[in-house]
Amino acid sequence: MFKHILVPTDGSPLSESTVARAVSFAKDAGARITFFYAQPDFPMPIYGEGALIDPTTPEQFSKAAADEAKRILDAAKSAADAAGVASDTDTIVNEVPYEAVIDAAERHGCDLIFMASHGRRGIAGLLLGSETQKVLTHSKTPVLVYR
């Protein structure tokens, strides 16, 4: 059925749980996994009264984000390796995570996106939005939501 699964992760406890479940799912399906992390871009400083100045340079921010991506993706790949599931990792810098997830699925030829949902409802869900909801709405690739 599914042969190549994209698993977006952000390193949160919910994402770690999703990685474990995705590895089990992929093993049962005989599929391979690409773990994906969307790195944040350097935030543009806003100056004015009361502005906080962060001494971090764009280069320092980029290195820290890349190091965090490597740590998160290495942990996910280790889980797949331990279960005998073939896997790769991918990361890009993108301020719009849902677009990055959809692009990664298309770029890698994935036939399923397996992702977590924080389960926000009501006003919180409306105001904060949901990257999972946006992927569900905009992706042509099937999405399996793990809660």
Side-chain angles (χ1 to χ4, degrees):
M1 182 178 232
F2 298 111
K3 296 297 175 200
H4 191 180
I5 303 168
L6 183 78
V7 181
T9 182
D10 62 8
S12 68
L14 178 60
S15 280
E16 290 174 5
S17 173
T18 303
V19 164
R21 186 62 191 114
V23 167
S24 175
F25 181 86
K27 185 171 185 160
D28 290 345
R32 65 188 172 107
I33 296 176
T34 296
F35 295 106
F36 177 74
Y37 179 81
Q39 295 180 48
D41 200 1
F42 184 74
M44 293 304 296
I46 299 173
Y47 298 103
E49 189 173 327
L52 298 174
I53 298 179
D54 184 354
T56 305
T57 66
E59 293 79 17
Q60 291 169 322
F61 185 89
S62 178
K63 181 177 180 340
D67 290 347
E68 180 75 354
K70 181 174 177 7
R71 182 188 66 76
I72 290 167
L73 293 171
D74 285 352
K77 184 159 179 32
S78 292
D81 290 347
V85 174
S87 67
D88 292 309
T89 63
D90 183 28
T91 183
I92 62 166
V93 175
N94 191 321
E95 275 302 306
V96 186
Y98 85 89
E99 289 178 354
V101 169
I102 293 169
D103 290 345
E106 291 172 359
R107 191 170 61 252
H108 291 285
C110 296
D111 52 9
L112 179 69
I113 300 171
F114 190 116
M115 63 190 302
S117 173
H118 288 278
R120 291 188 184 102
R121 294 191 174 127
I123 293 293
L126 180 65
L127 295 177
L128 296 174
S130 163
E131 296 305 316
T132 302
Q133 182 64 38
K134 292 173 189 169
V135 170
L136 281 165
T137 305
H138 295 91
S139 178
K140 293 178 183 144
T141 304
V143 180
L144 189 154
V145 179
Y146 176 73
R147 288 184 51 183

